[in-house]
């Protein structure tokens, strides 16, 4: 049961149940089309180029915000680790803002940034910032003092200690935060497109809902599910290659 194919058969059974429930009238609703019709709509919109264009625009905004949020999150995390004053001054503000649901800040950002890409990229950046910051700070606390002391003993400058000792040591923690941020950034980017968008998968999903085109609406949901799965698998592949030494030592548990 630990094999990946076990989960695959469960998903396949659920899709089959979807098809049967729609075909036999178990779910008697015009808004519950057979799964085969959803697949047909997905194939039609993909071959026409509409779905790839929507996915590309959503991913472009998500990755732009993810990159910005990661850079700022790591930088602030390092600042917290290097300066107790920064922790005392900025820490309460971070803890005050962190619990706010990301969709709740979309309306204020619309007032300041409008409906363009800047607002959606900012949403993704804010989403990525907090998981990366938290994990960076946790990684700094886990850096072994002996490593830093040895580097100081050999006269390694502070900036070189940062790149040669500190950053490699906290990289597994940053990657863990980035994996969480990746999924959340996709969700909040799509939500931003649904609330105040003119492009992207989120806007397309809402548009199909208002138009009563259930097949295309569920096709968009299926695209998001496949996209999230592919992003997670791709990140795991990248993680194994960037910090393979961490997994080889068995320190990941």
């Amino acid at each position: 049961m630990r094999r990946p194919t076990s989960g695959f058969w469960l998903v396949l059974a659920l899709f089959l149940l979807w098809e049967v429930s729609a075909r036999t009238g178990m779910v008697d609703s015009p808004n519950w089309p057979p799964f085969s019709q959803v697949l047909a709509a997905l194939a039609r919109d993909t071959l026409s180029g509409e779905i790839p264009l929507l996915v590309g625009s959503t991913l472009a905004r998500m990755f732009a915000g993810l990159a910005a949020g990661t850079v700022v999150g790591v930088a602030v995390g390092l600042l917290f680790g290097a300066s107790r004053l920064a922790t005392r001054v900025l820490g309460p503000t971070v803890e005050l803002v962190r619990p706010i649901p990301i969709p709740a800040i979309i309306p204020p950002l619309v007032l300041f940034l409008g409906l363009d890409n800047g607002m959606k990229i900012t949403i993704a950046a804010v989403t990525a910032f907090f998981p990366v910051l938290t994990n960076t700070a946790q990684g700094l606390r886990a850096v072994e003092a002996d490593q830093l002391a040895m580097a100081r003993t050999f006269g390694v400058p502070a900036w070189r200690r940062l790149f040669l000792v500190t950053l490699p040591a906290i990289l597994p923690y940053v990657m863990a935060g980035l994996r969480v941020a990746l999924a959340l950034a996709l969700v909040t980017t799509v939500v931003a497109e649904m609330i105040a968008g003119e492009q992207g998968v989120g806007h397309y999903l809402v548009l199909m809902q208002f138009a009563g085109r259930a097949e295309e609406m569920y096709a968009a949901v299926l695209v998001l599910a496949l996209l999230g799965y592919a992003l997670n698998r791709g990140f795991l592949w990248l993680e194994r290659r960037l910090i393979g030494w961490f997994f080889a030592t068995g320190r990941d548990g």
Side-chain angles (χ1 to χ4, degrees):
M1 293 298 293
R2 290 176 62 85
R3 295 185 303 172
T5 51
S6 301
F8 170 79
W9 288 115
L10 175 60
V11 172
L12 189 62
L14 292 175
F15 285 150
L16 180 60
L17 178 61
W18 181 350
E19 179 75 16
V20 172
S21 66
R23 292 289 183 184
T24 61
M26 293 173 57
V27 180
D28 187 13
S29 172
N31 296 319
W32 185 249
F35 183 64
S36 57
Q37 294 182 9
V38 174
L39 289 180
L42 176 60
R44 182 176 60 251
D45 290 346
T46 300
L47 292 176
S48 69
E50 186 175 12
I51 291 295
L53 184 62
L54 294 171
V55 170
S57 63
T58 297
L59 288 180
R61 300 184 190 98
M62 185 202 75
F63 280 120
L66 187 66
T70 299
V71 171
V72 177
V74 171
V76 175
L78 292 174
L79 179 62
F80 280 6
S83 172
R84 292 183 179 179
L85 177 61
T87 304
R88 289 197 299 267
V89 173
L90 299 178
T93 302
V94 170
E95 292 302 320
L96 179 65
V97 175
R98 187 163 60 93
I100 298 177
I102 295 299
I105 69 173
I106 293 178
L109 285 179
V110 169
L111 294 179
F112 283 99
L113 302 176
L115 301 177
D116 294 334
N117 289 335
M119 183 273 292
K120 303 176 186 66
I121 292 173
T122 302
I123 287 293
V126 173
T127 302
F129 170 77
F130 292 105
V132 173
L133 168 63
T134 302
N135 280 268
T136 300
Q138 181 180 0
L140 284 172
R141 289 192 292 268
V143 174
E144 296 182 7
D146 292 343
Q147 295 177 333
L148 296 174
M150 183 178 297
R152 293 191 192 96
T153 301
F154 284 98
V156 179
W159 67 271
R160 293 196 64 187
R161 290 199 302 269
L162 174 64
F163 287 100
L164 297 179
V165 179
T166 303
L167 288 180
I170 69 172
L171 185 57
Y173 296 88
V174 174
M175 295 296 289
L178 188 55
R179 184 183 178 189
V180 175
L182 179 65
L184 294 177
L186 175 62
V187 171
T188 53
T189 301
V190 172
V191 169
E193 292 172 345
M194 294 174 66
I195 295 177
E198 298 178 351
Q199 295 177 334
V201 180
H203 174 68
Y204 177 82
L205 178 60
V206 173
L207 193 64
M208 293 302 103
Q209 177 212 352
F210 286 134
R213 296 166 59 178
E215 292 87 354
E216 286 82 358
M217 181 186 69
Y218 287 115
V221 174
L222 185 60
V223 166
L224 291 175
L226 294 173
L227 186 59
Y229 179 80
L231 288 172
N232 183 63
R233 299 299 300 179
F235 184 85
L236 290 176
W237 177 87
L238 179 64
E239 187 180 45
R240 286 283 177 176
R241 278 145 186 81
L242 286 179
I243 55 173
W245 54 268
F246 181 76
F247 297 99
T249 58
R251 295 175 62 184
D252 60 331

